[in-house]
Amino acid sequence: MTTVATVGTSATDIEFHYDLGNDFYALWLDQTLAYTAARWDGIAPGEPDATALHRAQLAKLDHHLDLVGAEPGGGARLLDVGCGWGSLLVRAVATGRAAEAVGLTISRAQHDYLGRLGLPGVEGRLESWEEYRTERPYDAIVSVGAFEHFATAGMSRAERLAVYAHYFERCHGWLRPGGRMSLQTIAYDGVADGSGPVGEFVGTDIFPGAQLPRLAEIAAACDPYFSLTVLSASAEDYARTLASWSGRLLRAREEAVRLIGEDGYRRYRRYLRASEVTFLRGATTLYRIGFERRDQPLKLSV
Ligand SMILES: C[S@@+](CC[C@H](N)C(=O)[O-])C[C@H]1O[C@@H](n2cnc3c(N)ncnc32)[C@H](O)[C@@H]1O
């Protein structure tokens, strides 16, 4: 099957990033291969890095499953839009919070990895959210760290709003009445807009084609389809996750250089450190948002 992401980051750009090889990412992510901010509440700064990162990643996954009401043993049908290597799908099924967990990704390496796991109840699909169709409604939808790829750099605010509204409309269509959804995304804060050397480096060398949203855009785009039930912001959660990844990559330097070369290794170290600084400076932040599906979409102009 081929993937077509007609808006947002293209499959080619996604592959530029994610298809560097699962072994490379496994060197510095935790064992779930979660590649988004963890949730560090209650994890002491002195805890050994490997267990601390893993515990914080599991806490993040459980937080999203709580937000969508996927209770342990509840056996929900769950969709993960932008599932990466499947950390949330695996957690949801292993804890009985989901009986059936379907994930969309546009990275072939991630899709193939998930297929090789061969877990009952877990289905990875190499498909963009724009293409995805299903006849069977979901109880819950989670999306963690994919929204940043739904629009592209260079779009006007009106174009971004149209794409985001389209996404929320699709989620509304996939969910059963009363269904819940959660979203985790990086967003610009303050006057930041991605211009400047760090934004340009990340936009060219690391995540070509990505575009961060602003909170007001998410709020306006979801409004016809969802009521917003929970909103939290934590730049610290991403800064601490990036610091942890950065330290782990440094310690795995030799193997990383063997896998992606000296230039690639330096590029990733620079990206992790530079991104940490944007969170510490308050130029970017991290939102976790809970939503409840409106029974009937409202006739609002976005
Ligand atoms: C930063 S990763 C996050 C993965 C995972 N949610 C996690 O927390 O580790 C972004 C994911 O979004 C996916 N993605 C980007 N654009 C997409 C699209 N249009 N449709 C579906 N998935 C998309 C990528 O393939 C990738 O799996």
Side-chain angles (χ1 to χ4, degrees), residues 85-268:
W85 288 276
S87 53
L88 185 110
L89 305 172
V90 173
R91 180 73 174 170
V93 168
T95 53
R97 288 168 176 261
E100 230 184 310
V102 177
L104 309 181
T105 175
I106 56 172
S107 153
R108 186 172 296 278
Q110 294 177 337
H111 170 261
D112 293 353
Y113 173 87
L114 254 175
R116 281 194 301 275
L117 290 183
L119 292 178
V122 171
E123 182 193 356
R125 299 180 66 93
L126 185 60
E127 205 164 10
S128 169
W129 62 267
E130 299 165 71
E131 306 171 294
Y132 180 59
R133 303 282 184 279
T134 180
E135 296 298 315
R136 295 178 48 226
Y138 285 93
D139 300 303
I141 300 176
V142 178
S143 182
V144 181
F147 201 83
E148 298 90 327
H149 296 292
F150 293 173
T152 36
M155 280 184 171
S156 67
R157 184 172 192 275
E159 287 168 332
R160 289 198 299 274
L161 281 176
V163 173
Y164 298 152
H166 184 204
Y167 173 69
F168 287 114
E169 181 187 18
R170 297 307 281 275
C171 292
H172 186 274
W174 293 324
L175 273 178
R176 66 164 168 78
R180 291 210 244 155
M181 182 163 91
S182 89
L183 172 67
Q184 172 168 321
T185 184
I186 306 171
Y188 288 127
D189 203 2
V191 296
D193 62 1
S195 54
V198 172
E200 278 159 26
F201 159 65
V202 174
T204 310
D205 286 23
I206 303 292
F207 277 120
Q211 167 68 47
L212 301 186
R214 295 192 63 90
L215 180 60
E217 296 167 356
I218 301 172
C222 77
D223 204 12
Y225 308 101
F226 289 91
S227 60
L228 201 157
T229 53
V230 180
L231 169 64
S232 65
S234 179
E236 299 76 28
D237 268 353
Y238 226 135
R240 197 164 162 191
T241 306
L242 286 157
S244 170
W245 288 341
S246 196
R248 292 161 66 80
L249 179 56
L250 177 66
R251 290 192 290 280
R253 180 178 190 281
E254 207 173 301
E255 186 59 9
V257 170
R258 194 184 67 75
L259 289 171
I260 66 161
E262 183 69 35
D263 284 355
Y265 166 79
R266 283 172 190 270
R267 203 159 46 89
Y268 266 73

